[in-house]
Amino acid sequence: KMIAGLPMYDRPELFEAHDKFWRLIHKQIIGSPKILSRNIAPWDLWTSPKLFLAQTCSSPYRKTLHKTTIYVGTVDYDLPNCPPGYYNSLIITRPGYELSELKNCTFGYNEKISHSGWAAPQAHFRKLNISPKFLKKTGSHRASVKSVASGKIDFAAIDAQSWRFIKKYDNFANNIEILDHTYPTPGLPFITSQSGLGENLFRAIKKAIEVLSEKYRSLLYLNDFVIIEEKKYLKSGF
């Protein structure tokens, strides 16, 4: 039995929209799972031989998943200051802090396998020749924002798409300030483990975005589905 999941930006407020989006993909491809799996850990989903489709983070894809899965395409979320299909991270803090204070403060990260929460900000800090005095793992972008807001950590990096949802649905984000942003890099890729399915999936996803109702398309910020060259995902420097 095939499985599919869109865990990267899924949250209860978006379940209905993601389900509608998935149904439009499912209708176009015989043998695709009827529903999205939400009870499976991301790594188990990404590495399953039964993986029909999933969205993953660009860092796990760059490090290991490009060897075991097939790249399908990348959603363009029409993010500010980013080319189609690209994204970046926002460096956040509480009002009154400056980025130069990082050297005496705590930087929180969701996990070290994350591109937007760890690799991208670390590369950004190296360019600025600053580094945080303390590091603290939070477990998720949402937890990072909550920890900054409550004072448990002082700085964090949140990918721009996650920030849209956190700002919209979580009241604790009201007292957060954006200090800086990282350089745009290729966005979160869609992958499959099924050989020969990539082109069909690409067309199905692109079509699903086109025909999805404006209500759900705008809720998910779905603008288009594009191809980004694999070498752009795999280039070193992070």
Side-chain angles (χ1 to χ4, degrees):
K1 189 180 176 182
M2 294 285 113
I3 54 173
L6 301 173
M8 302 309 291
Y9 296 125
D10 206 18
R11 50 183 293 159
E13 297 91 344
L14 302 174
F15 284 177
E16 184 182 342
H18 272 133
D19 288 342
K20 295 280 187 185
F21 178 42
W22 176 250
R23 266 181 228 129
L24 291 172
I25 298 169
H26 163 69
K27 281 181 187 175
Q28 298 178 71
I29 303 184
I30 297 168
S32 58
K34 284 187 177 180
I35 59 170
L36 293 168
S37 295
R38 290 193 170 96
N39 58 352
I40 180 168
W43 269 108
D44 293 336
L45 176 71
W46 300 334
T47 57
S48 172
K50 296 177 180 178
L51 174 64
F52 186 84
L53 183 71
Q55 187 178 33
T56 183
C57 176
S58 49
S59 190
Y61 180 74
R62 181 173 62 250
K63 289 182 177 178
T64 62
L65 293 173
H66 75 276
K67 299 171 189 171
T68 56
T69 63
I70 296 151
Y71 170 72
V72 176
T74 306
V75 172
D76 172 32
Y77 294 109
D78 197 21
L79 288 162
N81 308 309
C82 292
Y86 279 56
Y87 76 147
N88 61 3
S89 301
L90 308 175
I91 312 297
I92 65 162
T93 188
R94 291 181 301 285
Y97 279 78
E98 294 181 10
L99 201 53
S100 59
E101 296 176 74
L102 187 70
K103 61 182 182 292
N104 297 313
C105 292
T106 300
F107 176 78
Y109 61 95
N110 50 347
E111 47 190 316
K112 288 193 176 178
I113 194 63
S114 169
H115 176 79
S116 58
W118 175 259
Q122 293 306 313
H124 188 66
F125 296 153
R126 282 195 296 273
K127 286 175 190 169
L128 297 175
N129 201 28
I130 55 173
S131 60
K133 186 170 186 180
F134 305 106
L135 297 171
K136 186 173 183 180
K137 182 179 176 180
T138 65
S140 72
H141 279 311
R142 188 171 179 269
S144 291
V145 178
K146 198 170 187 177
S147 295
V148 170
S150 66
K152 290 179 181 174
I153 60 176
D154 306 303
F155 298 87
I158 312 299
D159 89 71
Q161 179 73 344
S162 290
W163 174 247
R164 279 173 162 173
F165 297 129
I166 293 168
K167 188 179 178 184
K168 185 174 182 179
Y169 298 116
D170 295 311
N171 289 335
F172 56 75
N174 292 341
N175 207 30
I176 294 292
E177 204 165 86
I178 297 169
L179 281 182
D180 204 355
H181 54 81
T182 64
Y183 191 75
T185 53
L188 279 56
F190 278 57
I191 57 173
T192 181
S193 69
Q194 309 306 306
S195 61
L197 199 57
E199 287 185 18
N200 283 349
L201 271 170
F202 178 83
R203 285 193 294 268
I205 296 166
K206 195 173 179 77
K207 180 71 173 175
I209 291 173
E210 288 172 9
V211 301
L212 186 64
S213 74
E214 175 58 31
K215 173 188 173 183
Y216 296 120
R217 197 164 64 240
S218 60
L219 269 175
L220 300 174
Y221 297 95
L222 299 174
N223 186 57
D224 198 3
F225 198 57
V226 300
I227 294 285
I228 295 174
E229 289 178 274
E230 187 177 55
K231 66 182 180 183
K232 291 184 178 176
Y233 276 105
L234 303 186
K235 75 182 181 99
S236 58
F238 294 106

